[in-house]
Amino acid sequence: MSLGLAAVFTILTWFWACNPGRPWWRKPDIVTDLCYWFFIPVITRYLRIGMLIVGAAFLFGITTADGLVAFYDNGHGPLAALPLFVQMGIFLVGEDIILYWTHRLFHGKRMWRYHAVHHSSEELEWISAARFHPINLFLGSVTADVVLLLMGISPNVFIVLGPFTIAHSAFVHANLDWTLGPFKYVIAGPVFHRWHHTAADRGGEKNFAATFPILDVLFGTFYMPAGERPDGYGVAESEFPSSFQGQLVHPFTQ
Ligand SMILES: [Zn+2]
Ligand SMILES: [Zn+2]
């Protein structure tokens, strides 16, 4: 899948770059991005499994391996009785509402140190999509996943939505001049999310939704000025580390 995304975005950026320049593999912090791309999904998986076990034990009193398998095999309760595509819809919308608000929380004074890692890419490319501090993931997408699975949504939704989420997050970070026209309110696209990565005075601190920009419209944070294109990404802090190890410890030194 990584090779497929690399090929697709290399070709698309060749024709429709939002910010023309050197190709993604020649960006200075490419090693940092690759470390996140291949290492972070492993951490995320174990964090999620750990929280699912703890959640089932505390909320439902399930402590045996067989009990856990039965509990999570196909979801539970009324939500699991719905057709899988309905559960997918509920999962996508529920996840996006939770992530919208946790994302805004991470832009607050206390939490920014963890989220700054995600904003530290100065050349924003599809490969920057996985750049998240583990604390950010733990209190963001992992918690959102666990909340929805504990509510009864079947883990089978991940079979379809897992690859979609990876491809879509690579897409919104891709260096593409695509506003998606009238569909810009329907699904997050590259120009929509690239604005989120600009400095506050350039239009940043807007466009918090991961998937559905309608949330930004509803909560007054939608920003896509006509005829303008985002540029100038990264964090204001000049001493921000660019290495993977440096970024992992950086929030704890603040
Ligand atoms: Zn952000
Ligand atoms: Zn981003």
Side-chain angles (χ1 to χ4, degrees), residues 68-89:
L68 281 168
V69 170
F71 184 71
Y72 284 119
D73 209 12
N74 285 298
H76 60 91
L79 284 175
L82 297 167
L84 199 59
F85 74 92
V86 179
Q87 292 187 52
M88 281 179 197

Side-chain angles (χ1 to χ4, degrees), residues 103 106-107 112 115 118-119 132 193 196-197 206-208:
H103 192 181
F106 270 106
H107 274 257
W112 170 251
H115 188 58
H118 181 64
H119 282 262
F132 278 104
H193 191 66
H196 177 71
H197 278 262
K206 294 280 192 295
N207 300 356
F208 291 94

Side-chain angles (χ1 to χ4, degrees), residues 1-2 5 10 52 58 80 106 109 132 183 192-193 223 231 253:
M1 189 163 176
S2 302
L5 291 171
T10 300
L52 285 170
F58 275 96
F106 270 106
K109 210 164 178 251
F132 278 104
F183 294 100
F192 170 83
H193 191 66
Y223 184 75
D231 52 30
T253 64

